[in-house]
Amino acid sequence: MIQIGAHNYKIYFRDDLYDTFDYLGIVKHDTDVILIDFTLSEEETLCTFVHESTHCISKRYGLSLDENQTSVIAEGMTQILLQLFPLEDLITAITWVSDSDN
């Protein structure tokens, strides 16, 4: 779970997300849930996590970012994270905060 503003988002990995919805990740703001496709590579998982988290930030802080703005910001944040931390450590952190009881 990650906190964004006053909201605690649960993170779930699903192996059918892309096949079912044609998305790598989805945010459900009404239930504070982030879904990420489990079949992604580690780098794609990080990018998707940052992208979906950026949607959450946009929603909870009233930024009204469009999809392109969200993608650009998420790409930049992913680059910064990868310069500061090993990819494996970031994936471990994302997995650790996810709700494995889904």
Side-chain angles (χ1 to χ4, degrees):
M1 185 173 348
I2 58 168
Q3 184 174 353
I4 299 175
H7 296 262
N8 292 312
Y9 282 85
K10 294 180 180 178
I11 302 161
Y12 296 109
F13 289 92
R14 289 185 41 176
D15 60 4
D16 64 341
L17 193 62
Y18 185 75
D19 290 338
T20 304
F21 299 103
D22 204 29
Y23 289 110
L24 302 178
I26 296 173
V27 176
K28 296 182 175 189
H29 294 291
D30 57 331
T31 56
D32 293 342
V33 168
I34 296 173
L35 302 173
I36 298 174
D37 192 290
F38 186 71
T39 64
L40 302 175
S41 70
E42 288 186 343
E43 191 164 339
E44 289 172 322
T45 297
L46 175 62
C47 292
T48 302
F49 172 77
V50 174
H51 180 96
E52 299 309 325
S53 297
T54 303
H55 279 301
C56 298
I57 292 167
S58 176
K59 170 76 172 177
R60 298 307 172 195
Y61 290 96
L63 300 177
S64 302
L65 298 174
D66 65 28
E67 189 64 24
N68 185 59
Q69 292 168 321
T70 298
S71 294
V72 169
I73 291 169
E75 185 176 325
M77 290 304 300
T78 300
Q79 284 182 321
I80 291 169
L81 289 171
L82 287 172
Q83 290 175 58
L84 296 173
F85 306 102
L87 177 60
E88 297 78 24
D89 291 352
L90 293 166
I91 295 302
T92 298
I94 294 168
T95 304
W96 186 76
V97 299
S98 72
D99 290 272
S100 58
D101 61 338
N102 59 343

